[in-house]
Amino acid sequence: TPLEDGQIVMVGQLDIKGIHTPGHSEGSVSFDIDGTALITGDTLFHESVGRVELGVEAGIEDSDVEGNAATLYDSLQRLLDRPDDTLVLPAHDPGSPEPPVTATLAEVREQNEDLGRDREEFVQELASDIPDHPPNFQRVKRTNVGQESVPADELAELELGPNNCAAE
């Protein structure tokens, strides 16, 4: 069942609100957990934000890098209007040696320089930040969008390869 932007789903005793946060990818979604935590996927990391060129570079998006960066900026604004004590839980954190990775939104605002940029500077910085892609990048993207089928015995190895989703 598709989840609509803003839709709330009860899981046990928790209200989980889906928040469409495109920019890193068209279908990026973050989740507000009962108003106390944000699961941000690859949209917002503690010290960075999601890269904006991956789908474009893989040839699976019609959008442009600058457009994705502007969209990501807008998505981030939707997340940043929460209280300072909200926990930010990204899908992974490139700078962290081991999970669990938690920080409050106040801590993330303080240590994440991307969040201090105005819209124009943010778009310019992210659109020009095109680091090298991991060697398995093209295959992961094609698999994620259903353009390639990977044998079950290769899936774990593909998933465990380098994961460079954060802008540098």
Side-chain angles (χ1 to χ4, degrees), residues 7 9 40 95 132:
Q7 182 178 344
V9 177
T40 59
D132 291 337

Side-chain angles (χ1 to χ4, degrees), residues 5 14 44 47 81 83 90 103 109 125 128-129 141 148 164:
D5 182 43
L14 299 174
L44 174 62
E47 296 181 3
D81 66 354
R109 280 190 190 105
E125 183 67 29
S128 65
D129 177 21
K141 292 303 283 188
E148 182 174 338
N164 300 335

Side-chain angles (χ1 to χ4, degrees), residues 126 145 167:
L126 263 69
V145 297

Side-chain angles (χ1 to χ4, degrees), residues 5 11 29-30 33 38 40 43-44 46 51 57-58 60 62 65 69 80 108 145 155 157 159 166:
D5 182 43
V11 177
V29 178
S30 297
I33 311 299
L38 284 170
T40 59
T43 297
L44 174 62
H46 293 166
R51 289 170 64 170
E57 296 291 313
I60 59 174
D62 292 331
V65 174
L80 296 174
V108 171
V145 297
L155 280 175
E157 183 179 332
E159 179 63 25

Side-chain angles (χ1 to χ4, degrees), residues 102-166:
T102 62
T104 65
L105 191 53
E107 292 166 332
V108 171
R109 280 190 190 105
E110 185 177 306
Q111 64 193 20
N112 187 330
E113 64 185 51
D114 290 319
L115 301 181
R117 295 184 167 102
D118 66 25
R119 182 187 183 90
E120 184 178 324
E121 181 185 7
F122 181 91
V123 169
Q124 213 267 302
E125 183 67 29
L126 263 69
S128 65
D129 177 21
I130 312 294
D132 291 337
H133 295 140
N136 61 349
F137 165 72
Q138 293 287 345
R139 192 166 190 210
V140 167
K141 292 303 283 188
R142 286 191 306 269
T143 302
N144 284 347
V145 297
Q147 293 178 349
E148 182 174 338
S149 179
V150 177
D153 61 335
E154 293 179 32
L155 280 175
E157 183 179 332
L158 184 63
E159 179 63 25
L160 293 175
N163 197 338
N164 300 335
C165 294

